[in-house]
Amino acid sequence: MKKDIHPVSYPVVFIDITCGARFVTRSTMKSDKVELIDGVEHFVHAISVSAESHPFYTGKSTFVDTEGRIDKFTKRFGDSALRRAGKPKLEKLGS
């Protein structure tokens, strides 16, 4: 490996400002704020979204279906498909 070509990495803590989650890692970023964690000074960086607060990763995202399933089917295949299908015939069990 060549010497003096790699950036210097520092201990860093990223703090999610929406939920307060903390991620301790290493990064090339520095900041004015420093926090002591396990006897080591870490640079503190605030982030607005992380895996702890993003709706995709937390599963709290909501999908609102504004159009019903039958309306979608009708729009896609037309009324004729519904008329041709008719009502399903039920068979009696045990007869």
Side-chain angles (χ1 to χ4, degrees):
M1 282 183 26
K2 292 183 180 179
K3 293 184 179 199
D4 301 327
I5 63 167
H6 298 286
V8 178
S9 64
Y10 307 100
V12 174
V13 60
F14 291 101
I15 301 175
D16 187 343
I17 58 175
T18 56
C19 66
R22 305 164 87 72
F23 301 95
V24 178
T25 186
R26 295 191 64 82
S27 176
T28 57
M29 298 171 65
K30 283 183 163 184
S31 72
D32 296 331
K33 293 182 181 180
V34 178
E35 185 175 315
L36 191 66
I37 300 174
D38 294 331
V40 179
E41 287 188 348
H42 289 72
F43 292 109
V44 178
H45 291 281
I47 55 176
S48 58
V49 177
S50 70
E52 293 291 321
S53 63
H54 194 280
F56 179 79
Y57 296 108
T58 60
K60 294 181 181 175
S61 63
T62 56
F63 175 74
V64 178
D65 187 13
T66 57
E67 191 175 20
R69 289 174 25 195
I70 295 173
D71 294 333
K72 286 182 187 177
F73 182 85
T74 305
K75 184 187 289 183
R76 188 170 180 185
F77 298 106
D79 289 332
S80 61
L82 288 175
R83 278 184 268 145
R84 268 183 292 170
K87 291 184 178 179
K89 295 180 181 178
L90 300 176
E91 295 180 19
K92 291 184 179 179
L93 297 176
S95 305

